[in-house]
Amino acid sequence: MLRIPRYLEYIYACFALWFFMGNPINVLTLGSGGGQIAVGAESNFLLPGISMALYAIAAGILLLHWQSVLGRFASNPQFLLIVLFIALVLASTQWSSYPNFTLRRSILITGATAFALFFSVRFDFIQQLKILAIALSATVLICLAFGLFLPTYGVMSLPPHVGAWRGTHMHKNHLGPQMAFVAIFLVAISSAKIFKGRAQLWLSGIILCAVFLTIASKSTTAVLALLTMGLIFMVCNVLKLNYRYMVTIFSAIMLTAGAATVYLHSNIGTFLGYFGKGTDLSGRTDIWPPIMTMISQKPLLGYGYEGFWRGEGSPAMFVWQVAGWPSPHAHNGFLEILLAIGWVGGLLFLVSFLLTLSTSFKLIRLTKMTCAICPVLVLVFIMLNNITESNLFNSDVWILYLWTCFFPWAVARGVASDEAIEESPKQERALTAGALGSAAYARPMLVSNGRDGRDR
């Protein structure tokens, strides 16, 4: 059987993840004026062409190791849920008003799913975290460079977002939440001491740059996401403690959060005013009621994946007329699912999300490891970012979501890629464990340079 050198898989994974998370193709070809780039705009064949090439490589590697894939996911309920979800997306070409466009977009999300499977199967957990850290760090540095040295592209210059940084992204609201997530995600990786020496120092610098970019984006969602994910990180760390400490600290955190929520609810207008926002969330609350009306007209299967917001003559015309402005999407990822594939798809995703969230929290409690917090941070980021934006189906967000779906179950059931473990150095071997909830559960161990590397 053809075998691809291991280092080439590493390089490919790092490049692909960076490309999906922050490539500058759209901003270089469409963003020189500093204005907002239309959502879904494609500069030319480069972006979808490179994406499809990267997806094809992942699919090819999966075919070479199909036995590992089947062994890994045969007993994973998440795998079945994701397969059904993608099948529904592909089938939606049959009822979409724009079947050709729906088909093209469906192929892209199917390719992103193939890459997520490749990433989950071919690397153990510590390797995955290292690759993610490298790709996210590259994204931070390139976005910073665009803001500092190419402000014509990296900084928005047209009202109402004058001076807001967007880096290599289409809009400031894409850069800000992503950088908020990156900052806290890298804090978790740094706390787990996966990297050593100078690499750890570099990671600290990247975290500071990510925080700066979060603030420079002038995104309200980003600032709130940074604070919320920071709080979640602290709560997850509490789950690692002994019970008597956990109850005290967890209660203090929840009381503080509760008091802050009451205060914000009573002073929401003043709070949003600091960020230049109104209580209509920049017009979002104007579009959500008519969107719900349109969902009620096709509740089961929706309007087809990416088949709702297609311009003049599309079902979105009703929403635009009622709201008074041409919104490019639902500004809510969960409403976007209902528009695309209805309540059938929405329930599939909801079950998958809740199942992953529950398993991820259990994993933290049982392993007591800082790096086990990373999947929870991804889920919180996705949830927060899709309250006021619609990016769940973006390749980077979808790949991260599937990574969280597959990781907890792989660890919980003691399943790992045999080939990845055999070929990886001892200090990078995966977390291995018995079934969650089992009396024979063995605490996962990270071995670093021959020493027990567990967090305590």
Side-chain angles (χ1 to χ4, degrees):
M1 183 178 67
L2 178 65
R3 296 181 69 86
I4 299 174
R6 198 75 177 128
Y7 73 92
L8 288 181
E9 289 192 28
Y10 272 98
I11 294 172
Y12 160 68
C14 289
F15 174 80
L17 281 171
W18 163 77
F19 183 84
F20 298 140
M21 292 178 180
N23 76 81
I25 290 177
N26 268 346
V27 78
L28 285 175
T29 55
L30 300 172
S32 60
Q36 178 177 351
I37 303 171
V39 173
E42 294 179 2
S43 52
N44 46 47
F45 68 92
L46 276 178
L47 186 56
I50 295 175
S51 296
M52 285 306 301
L54 293 173
Y55 296 149
I57 293 172
I61 295 174
L62 288 176
L63 288 175
L64 289 175
H65 303 281
W66 63 272
Q67 290 177 320
S68 296
V69 176
L70 291 180
R72 175 72 175 269
F73 298 111
S75 58
N76 186 342
Q78 285 284 30
F79 185 65
L80 177 60
L81 289 171
I82 297 302
V83 168
L84 291 174
F85 187 89
I86 293 299
L88 188 61
V89 168
L90 289 168
S92 69
T93 56
Q94 300 303 308
W95 58 84
S96 171
S97 301
Y98 303 89
N100 292 333
F101 184 79
T102 296
L103 178 62
R104 292 200 303 271
R105 293 292 185 172
S106 299
I107 292 173
L108 286 174
I109 195 171
T110 303
T113 303
F115 179 85
L117 287 171
F118 153 79
F119 187 59
S120 299
V121 170
R122 295 301 298 154
F123 304 99
D124 64 45
F125 182 52
I126 300 304
Q127 292 169 343
Q128 290 167 8
L129 289 181
K130 287 184 175 181
I131 292 170
L132 281 168
I134 292 170
L136 292 172
S137 297
T139 301
V140 170
L141 292 177
I142 294 174
C143 286
L144 184 66
F146 265 69
L148 291 174
F149 306 116
L150 294 171
T152 302
Y153 297 96
V155 180
M156 303 184 76
S157 58
L158 298 179
H161 306 303
V162 177
W165 285 37
R166 69 179 177 197
T168 59
H169 296 273
M170 297 189 297
H171 194 273
K172 72 182 186 71
N173 287 338
H174 295 176
L175 174 69
Q178 184 194 59
M179 290 299 109
F181 160 71
V182 170
I184 305 301
F185 190 84
L186 292 182
V187 165
I189 292 179
S190 178
S191 300
K193 295 181 171 52
I194 292 172
F195 292 96
K196 306 293 180 182
R198 291 184 179 180
Q200 187 77 353
L201 292 176
W202 271 98
L203 202 60
S204 300
I206 297 294
I207 292 170
L208 292 177
C209 291
V211 172
F212 167 77
L213 288 170
T214 302
I215 299 171
S217 71
K218 299 183 179 180
S219 168
T220 310
T221 302
V223 174
L224 293 176
L226 183 68
L227 296 174
T228 302
M229 283 191 288
L231 179 63
I232 293 295
F233 178 68
M234 289 188 290
V235 170
C236 289
N237 270 292
V238 170
L239 294 178
K240 295 163 45 184
L241 301 176
N242 292 330
Y243 182 77
R244 64 178 183 274
Y245 300 119
M246 183 180 73
V247 171
T248 302
I249 299 177
F250 188 78
S251 298
I253 291 175
M254 295 309 296
L255 285 173
T256 302
T261 301
V262 172
Y263 174 80
L264 288 176
H265 184 269
S266 302
N267 300 273
I268 187 64
T270 303
F271 176 76
L272 292 174
Y274 289 132
F275 296 95
K277 305 287 184 180
T279 54
D280 65 343
L281 298 177
S282 300
R284 289 171 173 83
T285 55
D286 295 331
I287 65 172
W288 289 339
I291 284 175
M292 292 303 299
T293 299
M294 296 302 291
I295 289 172
S296 67
Q297 294 184 10
K298 291 189 175 182
L300 289 180
L301 298 176
Y303 295 84
Y305 178 58
E306 297 281 359
F308 188 83
W309 310 93
R310 293 303 302 155
E312 193 168 337
S314 70
M317 289 294 294
F318 172 76
V319 176
W320 296 340
Q321 291 171 358
V322 173
W325 63 287
S327 172
H329 51 75
H331 283 283
N332 182 285
F334 311 107
L335 290 180
E336 201 70 57
I337 292 178
L338 298 181
L339 285 171
I341 48 180
W343 282 101
V344 174
L347 288 175
L348 283 173
F349 178 79
L350 180 63
V351 171
S352 171
F353 187 91
L354 294 178
L355 200 60
T356 303
L357 187 63
S358 173
T359 309
S360 298
F361 273 115
K362 287 180 181 177
L363 198 65
I364 296 170
R365 185 72 187 98
L366 290 169
T367 64
K368 301 185 184 298
M369 303 183 72
T370 303
C371 56
I373 298 174
C374 292
V376 173
L377 293 176
V378 172
L379 294 172
V380 172
F381 161 67
I382 291 172
M383 183 171 59
L384 291 175
N385 201 26
N386 279 276
I387 292 175
T388 57
E389 293 296 328
S390 300
N391 64 8
L392 180 62
F393 291 125
N394 289 1
S395 57
D396 58 332
V397 176
W398 185 246
I399 288 168
L400 285 173
Y401 174 66
L402 293 187
W403 173 68
T404 64
C405 287
F406 300 143
F407 157 67
W409 283 93
V411 175
R413 298 185 62 86
V415 180
S417 169
D418 292 334
E419 293 165 330
I421 291 176
E422 289 171 0
E423 295 172 348
S424 63
K426 284 185 178 181
Q427 65 269 24
E428 293 182 351
R429 289 197 174 179
L431 295 168
T432 56
L436 282 176
S438 168
Y441 184 87
R443 183 179 176 187
M445 296 177 64
L446 298 180
V447 180
S448 176
N449 298 326
R451 297 190 300 269
D452 183 352
R454 290 177 290 182
D455 303 299
R456 295 191 185 277

